[in-house]
Amino acid sequence: MACILVLLILLLQFLFKNKLEARWKYLLWLPVAIRLLLPWAPESSLSLYNVFSLGSIMPGIHEHMQDPPEKKSEIQELVMGSVMENSGSAARITKISVSDYASGSKQESNFWNEITSTRLLQVLVLIWLTGVLLLVAKTIYDQLRLQHALRTGRRIETPFLSDLFRETQQQLGVKRKVQFIASERMPGPAVVGFCKPAVVISPSLLMTLHKDQLQFILAHEFAHIRRWDVAVNWLLHLILILHWFNPLVWLAVHRARQDQEMACDAFALDRMSPQQNSAYGQTIIQVLEHFSVDSRQPGVAGLSATHKQMKRRLIMIKQFNKKSYRLSILGLTIILALGSVTLVNAKEKDAGSKAITASVQSAAGERQLDITYPEEFMGSKVDRELYKQEYEQAAKKAAEAAKTLTAEEKAYIDNEINRVKELVKETGDTYVIYHKYKDLNSGLDLSFWGPTNEFSSYEDYLKKASTLEGSIMQHPSNLPAGYTFSKAIIESPIEGKFINDLRAEGKKSDKPLYTKKLDWKEAATIRLKYTNGEDTLTLSKYTVDADDSKNNGFFDDDLPAHIFPKYVFWQDGSKFGYSISTSSDIGREQKIEILKAALRK
């Protein structure tokens, strides 16, 4: 975002080089500083980054860098989703297999997937930190040299020079206490310090300047003090330290320091008579040819310029107009417009738990359904792009299958789905539909219709869970400090004798759909989620297969060390297993104790 903003400002300065005054060209760099220093910005549809987004330049990079794929062990990899009818009264729960999700070349060979690995991240952070420490060390060294130069200097107390100093200070409207110091160790006139500023000038320069020339130089330095440029330079230097790896940031800071000098020229000229413009410009150029301060030092604001910039400054001084300096509608408009589109982040189209709509046909191939993307499954982020691709493929198959239906079959499917939807609305029960034509149901022969048992308060969850048979998950008494309840989910069984009987009965039926009410007393899955800032802790009860039901004890996941959340599984030889997953570094033994306290049989 900073790179885009820097290039945009350079373009604006080029396009308006003859129309923007010096101070407005300098103020154009303000959004860059704000953008690089603010850790957060609000989202807006007006954001420039909606157009120039990282995702549009390199598709898929944002998702891979923000939400790296997370593999599961001991758990079949599924993306769970809900296809919601437009009325929102009922849901068809669908499982989408992602067999190629972890093994495909897209995941294995993707550079951006590799860059998120812990080892490489550690190397990159180490390189960044090394650069930061080197720049900090150099900054400290430069400041020590600067303080030594000030200590070896002497205060100028000559009556003539002191009177001229105070006269110029008053002319520029500087009310702060400023020292006037002569030091041979400072090659050019400069302002040092922002809390207790001092104008430092070399004795050899004092010997070569006439009264008017010295006053011009002092006016420029007082302009730095009046504009708090030393503080601004420290801010720019801090940005450089943090973003030293970005060459465009170095360019931006360099150009900002150049524009700062021209803005100071304009400020000083505004306090002088128009007849002095030419003499001021000649003095500045004369001094710069022999004396110049290191513009890279953050604690210094003084005369500095390249040969190319000297030409720009002469042109600005020659064309300076007091009226244009006081107010620029064009400059103010550009700053406000630039800030409104660059100091806000791109609007996330699929952020949080908001639904993204995609065209998916209903079982009869006529109605349109909305995809409601799940925020996560089993505590892990869902790859929404893959999720959408699966649904789009399923929609195409459904459209082809719908072409083979007779008019009577289409009418029966519509009527049956509407009937089940009304039953769910009236009774709150769960119904299972067997689909003769699986392609009309995302390639699956079953769909589950019923209310979504998701709870935003623990009390509501406990009220429902207390009516169930078997074990449930409860709020653990030893939950780590700082974690608060976020949500709970209770899911009905999706396998077992009832499902086997339903399939057998559905196959014998000559109808395209066969419906049966699911009477369930014990939940197949329960999940409690707690959050502590960005950290999450999820407690789960889930159904295991026949082989896993023979296992006993606690088991860790075999995910790579950098993959989060981390799981601990607990199986007690029954048809259910239990797990705890955390995105923070909670120890294994503490996880086990929390999981034990959360289980109520």
Side-chain angles (χ1 to χ4, degrees):
M1 290 190 289
C3 290
I4 292 171
L5 184 51
V6 169
L7 294 175
L8 179 60
I9 290 172
L10 293 175
L11 177 62
L12 288 172
Q13 287 189 340
F14 174 77
L15 294 176
F16 296 98
K17 59 183 178 181
N18 296 324
K19 296 181 180 180
L20 273 180
E21 291 74 30
R23 67 165 176 170
W24 292 104
K25 289 181 180 178
Y26 177 48
L27 287 174
L28 279 178
W29 296 109
L30 181 61
V32 178
I34 296 174
R35 179 80 263 184
L36 287 171
L37 289 174
L38 285 182
W40 173 88
E43 296 177 359
S44 172
S45 56
L46 297 177
S47 174
L48 180 69
Y49 311 115
N50 286 310
V51 180
F52 298 102
S53 65
L54 193 60
S56 63
I57 298 171
M58 304 184 73
I61 179 176
H62 180 75
E63 289 79 2
H64 287 302
M65 294 184 73
Q66 296 296 328
D67 299 315
E70 297 171 351
K71 302 176 183 179
K72 299 292 179 296
S73 174
E74 310 287 341
I75 301 177
Q76 182 184 6
E77 288 191 292
L78 299 172
V79 178
M80 298 295 291
S82 300
V83 181
M84 304 297 295
E85 288 284 344
N86 288 332
S87 65
S89 60
R92 182 179 66 180
I93 310 300
T94 308
K95 279 188 176 181
I96 301 175
S97 177
V98 197
S99 57
D100 297 330
Y101 184 64
S103 59
S105 60
K106 175 182 177 182
Q107 306 299 332
E108 293 296 333
S109 62
N110 194 301
F111 172 75
W112 296 109
N113 194 24
E114 292 296 327
I115 204 172
T116 56
S117 67
T118 299
R119 182 173 298 177
L120 185 53
L121 275 179
Q122 289 175 343
V123 172
L124 293 176
V125 170
L126 184 60
I127 293 173
W128 171 80
L129 187 59
T130 301
V132 169
L133 293 176
L134 288 174
L135 285 175
V136 169
K138 184 180 185 304
T139 302
I140 295 174
Y141 174 73
D142 290 341
Q143 287 304 113
L144 292 175
R145 290 183 58 192
L146 186 61
Q147 294 300 320
H148 181 67
L150 290 177
R151 286 195 298 270
T152 57
R154 58 183 177 83
R155 294 185 62 179
I156 298 176
E157 297 177 346
T158 306
F160 169 73
L161 294 177
S162 297
D163 291 343
L164 184 63
F165 184 81
R166 285 192 294 269
E167 179 185 338
T168 310
Q169 181 176 1
Q170 185 176 6
Q171 182 183 359
L172 269 291
V174 177
K175 298 180 180 180
R176 303 167 63 194
K177 183 179 180 180
V178 183
Q179 297 184 44
F180 193 18
I181 297 176
S183 175
E184 287 290 357
R185 295 182 178 272
M186 293 291 293
V191 174
V192 179
F194 60 89
C195 293
K196 297 179 179 179
V199 174
V200 185
I201 193 167
S202 64
S204 56
L205 180 59
L206 286 173
M207 298 291 292
T208 61
L209 295 176
H210 301 300
K211 174 185 175 182
D212 290 343
Q213 291 177 322
L214 179 58
Q215 191 168 27
F216 292 149
I217 296 301
L218 291 175
H220 182 91
E221 301 311 319
F222 278 120
H224 278 303
I225 296 175
R226 181 72 184 275
R227 294 167 53 84
W228 293 85
D229 283 337
V230 175
V232 172
N233 291 344
W234 271 111
L235 193 66
L236 295 177
H237 192 70
L238 174 62
I239 291 173
L240 268 186
I241 290 176
L242 296 177
H243 299 270
W244 62 263
F245 53 86
N246 190 338
L248 280 178
V249 173
W250 286 87
L251 174 62
V253 171
H254 175 69
R255 288 294 299 267
R257 292 291 290 262
Q258 289 184 348
D259 291 336
Q260 180 187 94
E261 288 297 302
M262 295 183 67
C264 279
D265 288 337
F267 189 93
L269 290 171
D270 188 59
R271 271 67 180 175
M272 300 178 186
S273 64
Q275 293 76 17
Q276 294 177 302
N277 288 7
S278 178
Y280 175 88
Q282 291 176 3
T283 300
I284 294 296
I285 300 304
Q286 176 185 338
V287 172
L288 285 173
E289 287 178 345
H290 301 91
F291 304 92
S292 181
V293 71
D294 186 358
S295 63
R296 293 171 296 179
Q297 292 194 44
V300 176
L303 283 176
S304 64
T306 61
H307 288 288
K308 184 177 180 180
Q309 190 197 7
M310 288 168 64
K311 181 179 178 181
R312 291 175 59 211
R313 292 177 75 168
L314 278 177
I315 295 173
M316 188 279 295
I317 293 171
K318 182 180 180 180
Q319 298 176 346
F320 179 76
N321 186 322
K322 284 193 175 186
K323 291 182 180 179
S324 65
Y325 177 81
R326 296 187 187 280
L327 179 63
S328 172
I329 300 300
L330 176 62
L332 184 61
T333 302
I334 292 177
I335 290 289
L336 292 177
L338 191 65
S340 63
V341 299
T342 60
L343 296 183
V344 288
N345 290 340
K347 189 76 172 178
E348 289 290 346
K349 298 179 181 178
D350 57 348
S353 58
K354 295 181 180 178
I356 302 177
T357 302
S359 178
V360 180
Q361 291 186 324
S362 69
E366 295 174 353
R367 294 191 309 277
Q368 297 295 314
L369 301 179
D370 294 338
I371 298 178
T372 300
Y373 291 89
E375 186 176 354
E376 59 182 40
F377 172 61
M378 295 295 287
S380 302
K381 295 289 185 181
V382 171
D383 188 328
R384 293 182 176 179
E385 186 61 32
L386 178 63
Y387 193 94
K388 182 179 178 182
Q389 290 174 7
E390 292 285 346
Y391 264 99
E392 288 174 346
Q393 292 174 7
K396 291 179 181 179
K397 290 182 179 180
E400 292 298 322
K403 295 177 181 178
T404 65
L405 297 176
T406 64
E408 291 77 11
E409 287 177 321
K410 286 184 178 182
Y412 183 87
I413 291 173
D414 278 340
N415 292 334
E416 185 65 5
I417 288 178
N418 288 330
R419 184 181 74 86
V420 171
K421 185 168 63 176
E422 290 299 320
L423 285 172
V424 171
K425 186 188 300 184
E426 294 172 3
T427 66
D429 295 327
T430 300
Y431 291 83
V432 186
I433 299 178
Y434 172 81
H435 296 260
K436 179 180 179 181
Y437 304 106
K438 294 191 294 184
D439 283 343
L440 297 175
N441 186 51
S442 302
L444 302 172
D445 62 349
L446 298 178
S447 64
F448 294 73
W449 293 75
T452 302
N453 292 300
E454 185 170 323
F455 308 91
S456 58
S457 74
Y458 181 74
E459 290 73 18
D460 291 340
Y461 156 75
L462 198 58
K463 183 178 179 181
K464 173 64 177 177
S466 299
T467 65
L468 300 175
E469 297 177 356
S471 59
I472 63 170
M473 307 306 292
Q474 64 181 2
H475 183 84
S477 58
N478 54 358
L479 187 71
Y483 281 88
T484 57
F485 178 85
S486 175
K487 68 177 179 180
I489 296 175
I490 299 176
E491 294 177 355
S492 63
I494 55 174
E495 56 187 25
K497 184 177 184 301
F498 173 85
I499 300 300
N500 295 333
D501 292 343
L502 174 65
R503 279 197 173 99
E505 294 167 11
K507 290 176 182 179
K508 293 179 181 178
S509 171
D510 58 352
K511 301 295 184 182
L513 298 181
Y514 180 79
T515 305
K516 197 172 181 180
K517 177 182 173 183
L518 174 61
D519 289 318
W520 57 285
K521 302 297 182 182
E522 185 171 10
T525 301
I526 295 178
R527 285 195 297 278
L528 300 183
K529 181 178 179 180
Y530 296 85
T531 57
N532 181 13
E534 295 183 355
D535 292 332
T536 61
L537 185 152
T538 304
L539 301 162
S540 301
K541 168 188 175 179
Y542 57 91
T543 307
V544 300
D545 57 31
D547 292 335
D548 286 337
S549 64
K550 301 174 184 178
N551 295 330
N552 278 282
F554 294 92
F555 310 93
D556 296 323
D557 62 40
D558 57 0
L559 304 177
H562 67 281
I563 298 296
F564 282 88
K566 305 302 294 184
Y567 285 84
V568 172
F569 303 99
W570 180 18
Q571 292 176 208
D572 57 2
S574 68
K575 62 179 180 179
F576 293 105
Y578 310 94
S579 70
I580 178 173
S581 64
T582 59
S583 60
S584 58
D585 295 325
I586 297 178
R588 183 179 189 272
E589 294 303 320
Q590 186 179 2
K591 287 182 185 178
I592 291 175
E593 294 303 317
I594 295 172
L595 185 54
K596 287 180 178 179
L599 179 61
R600 190 174 81 184
K601 293 189 176 181

